[in-house]
Amino acid sequence: MSRRTRLLPDLAPWRSSRDFRLLWLSGAVTMFGNFLSFVAVPVQMKELTGSPLAVGSIGLVELAPLIVFGLYGGALADSFDRRKLLVLTETGKGLLAMLMLTNALLPHPMVWPLFVLAALNSSLSGLQRPPQDSIVPRIVPHDQLTAAAALMGVMWQLGGVAGPSLAGVLIAYAGLEWAYAINIVTFVVSVALLLPMRPSPPAHDAEKPSLRALAEGARYAWSRKELLGTIAIDLSATVLAFPIALFPFLADELGAPWALGLMYAAFPAGALLVSLTSGWASRVHHHGRAMIAAAALFGLAMTAAGLVRQVWLVLLLLLLAGGIDMVTSMFRTTMWNQTIPDEFRGRLAGIGVLAFTVGPQAGQVRAGGMGALIGVRAAVWTGGLSCVAAVGLLVASLPRLWAYDARTNEHAVRAREREQSVA
């Protein structure tokens, strides 16, 4: 195998599964639109209030809906057609984008609709993520799941690079309303791509959504300490060192308001670079160790980003941090998809929403509050140092995560045997 082939992403899931291609294309389109609004909402809040705390509070109002509906969405994904859930939630998010556009077009846009619509959108995101995550192992073979995780990363990051970059230009030269309008169009295209996918019904003996079902999923998660370790590692980075809410203020402090869109794009751009050179990832078996090392490096990169004063260095460090974060995400997703039984995937994905989506929202609240308390740059570098310290504690307290090996882990071996017996 040539060095070039080892670096290029593995396209086996794209070639082998029509449904994976449709899911990927739908996600790429809608992520592009989502990132337009992702930039537009905090910028609009900043223009209307001028308050770092108000911008950070967007994450606060999104937090409770994500917790409640993420858990419920996980139970739904195990007892309802997963493709149908994706279509319904995507349609609902498109309707909310229309309301955001309506508010932006008012002669005097109001602040409270931004909070209400952010909370509703967060509710739908909570319902959507579990079926989106748990449908992948159904449509991709077990030995292609690491490659699928990398390709899904490319899907997220293409939108994450293009969306914020275009949003910065649109907001500066055309107005916020254009970002919301284009987002509406992307939801229409996304739903059209999801409809041809094959149905993904629940197992015949699937338990209906209930507190009992949620508790059963939580007990299974608690029994898998290596999975809990992946959640803890992710929370260390996203809660403590994820200062996206401060970007509008950081750009101003650096005297570079033109760089705001590039700051938002830097994280996904770095992740995209890693995804596009991820051919090596399928040969890594100690996924837990890779996650631990990546999270510590992420914290160091964010510490440096808060200390340097040149905007191009900040952008470079954000790019690096985004690439490192993709390593963590790729191996975490592989561990989950390769070891969790299908009957628990929806509920475990719902639990994952609490960490992998709620974590960044809590990070926005932390960043906004600390920015108001100790200053923007200090909030960035202290968060990075806190992340490094937290990772060090986790290494000592979670030996199963450090010891995880995909070749010998009992749950991974059982999943491979189950797939072979079905085939």
Side-chain angles (χ1 to χ4, degrees), residues 99-340:
L99 294 176
M100 289 182 181
L101 174 62
T102 302
N103 183 56
L105 291 173
L106 293 175
H108 301 287
M110 295 176 286
V111 171
W112 68 264
L114 293 179
F115 287 114
V116 172
L117 293 174
L120 292 173
N121 189 68
S122 181
S123 301
L124 289 175
S125 295
L127 291 173
Q128 185 180 73
R129 283 298 299 275
Q132 185 180 56
D133 292 345
S134 61
I135 201 172
V136 173
R138 284 190 171 185
I139 60 180
V140 174
H142 184 274
D143 61 351
Q144 296 177 13
L145 286 172
T146 300
L151 291 174
M152 292 299 283
V154 172
M155 174 200 83
W156 287 83
Q157 295 131 22
L158 283 175
V161 172
S165 300
L166 178 60
V169 175
L170 283 174
I171 293 169
Y173 296 103
L176 285 159
E177 62 272 13
W178 280 97
Y180 295 130
I182 296 175
N183 193 14
I184 295 169
V185 176
T186 63
F187 282 119
V188 174
V189 176
S190 176
V191 170
L193 288 165
L194 288 172
L195 288 173
M197 288 181 62
R198 288 189 298 269
S200 183
H204 294 298
D205 56 349
E207 190 171 351
K208 293 182 179 180
S210 64
L211 291 177
R212 176 184 173 184
L214 290 174
E216 185 180 4
R219 283 194 296 271
Y220 177 80
W222 184 256
S223 72
R224 297 285 309 280
K225 295 300 187 287
E226 66 274 31
L227 296 186
L228 293 179
T230 66
I231 294 175
I233 286 290
D234 193 88
L235 287 174
S236 298
T238 55
V239 174
L240 299 173
F242 203 67
I244 285 181
L246 297 176
F247 283 177
F249 304 93
L250 182 60
D252 287 345
E253 283 204 9
L254 294 170
W258 54 267
L260 176 59
L262 295 177
M263 286 183 178
Y264 282 112
F267 271 132
L272 179 61
L273 288 175
V274 169
S275 296
L276 292 176
T277 56
S278 60
W280 54 271
S282 295
R283 295 186 294 279
V284 174
H285 306 292
H286 291 284
H287 300 151
R289 296 179 190 180
M291 288 187 63
I292 289 167
L297 290 173
F298 180 88
L300 290 174
M302 295 311 301
T303 301
L307 293 173
V308 300
R309 296 183 178 275
Q310 294 79 18
V311 66
W312 65 270
L313 274 177
V314 172
L315 292 172
L316 184 61
L317 287 164
L318 293 177
L319 184 77
L320 176 63
I324 295 168
D325 184 60
M326 180 57 203
V327 174
T328 304
S329 175
M330 186 164 52
F331 291 127
R332 179 192 69 227
T333 301
T334 300
M335 284 180 64
W336 283 53
N337 284 345
Q338 285 189 342
T339 65
I340 298 173

Side-chain angles (χ1 to χ4, degrees), residues 53-101:
L53 187 58
V55 176
S57 295
I58 295 173
L60 182 62
V61 302
E62 292 173 335
L63 202 54
L66 272 174
I67 293 173
V68 174
F69 289 95
L71 289 172
Y72 184 64
L76 273 180
D78 283 335
S79 59
F80 196 73
D81 188 296
R82 293 173 184 174
R83 183 200 64 119
K84 189 175 293 186
L85 279 174
L86 291 176
V87 171
L88 291 174
T89 52
E90 197 77 344
T91 301
K93 288 166 77 72
L95 294 174
L96 293 180
M98 291 182 184
L99 294 176
M100 289 182 181
L101 174 62

